[in-house]
Amino acid sequence: MAWTLDSGRPIYAQIIERVQLDIITGRYKPGEKLPSVRELASEAAVNPNTMQKALSELEQSGLLYTQRTSGRFITEDTELIHRIKNDLATMQVREFIRKMRQIGLGDNEILQLINTIMKEETIDE
């Protein structure tokens, strides 16, 4: 099934985010071999060159590494994975707070809303 990609943003950036998410959520485990560029491009329904560009950036960030004849692998550096997870979570929280302030909520209202929703979510699980 093709990935859901937004035409309003660079595709390679969305691929980077998707693969990062797959790594930090454990879909791809540390040390695991990543599917080939062609396989991933086919799955995402994108040009292999676009996938190659995204994977090269992930390699530069240290999340992936290449073994010449074996392909690309997920880093075994769990600290790096943890840092990226925290960075992505921080970005999401900052964006949420920014949007809540735009609609006129104060800090205490935001915290109250979060607490209320978290309590509801715990019950639903």
Side-chain angles (χ1 to χ4, degrees):
M1 181 168 77
W3 298 358
T4 303
L5 300 171
D6 175 14
S7 62
R9 296 180 43 231
I11 299 299
Y12 83 95
Q14 294 176 69
I15 292 169
I16 291 169
E17 290 170 3
R18 168 68 185 261
V19 174
Q20 282 179 330
L21 191 60
D22 286 347
I23 293 169
I24 65 173
T25 59
R27 177 172 182 230
Y28 297 127
K29 308 273 187 261
E32 183 178 334
K33 187 177 190 296
L34 198 64
S36 73
V37 170
R38 290 201 181 281
E39 288 175 88
L40 286 171
S42 175
E43 182 182 324
V46 299
N47 185 299
N49 292 333
T50 304
M51 184 61 69
Q52 176 64 38
K53 180 179 180 180
L55 296 180
S56 291
E57 272 199 40
L58 286 166
E59 204 167 327
Q60 288 177 349
S61 77
L63 267 181
L64 302 179
Y65 65 92
T66 299
Q67 286 186 345
R68 272 200 155 211
T69 58
S70 303
R72 282 194 173 92
F73 293 81
I74 309 304
T75 184
E76 294 179 28
D77 183 349
T78 55
E79 285 296 317
L80 175 61
I81 293 170
H82 184 71
R83 274 196 313 274
I84 289 173
K85 185 176 192 172
N86 282 338
D87 290 348
L88 291 173
T90 298
M91 276 183 6
Q92 292 294 316
V93 170
R94 284 190 173 137
E95 180 66 13
F96 170 77
I97 291 169
R98 186 185 64 74
K99 287 181 178 180
M100 293 303 101
R101 287 178 176 158
Q102 276 182 338
I103 64 173
L105 293 181
D107 291 352
N108 287 335
E109 292 171 302
I110 294 169
L111 288 172
Q112 185 177 13
L113 176 64
I114 290 169
N115 284 327
T116 300
I117 292 172
M118 285 182 69
K119 286 176 186 169
E120 291 171 1
E121 289 297 314
T122 313
I123 292 170
D124 292 341
E125 292 175 2

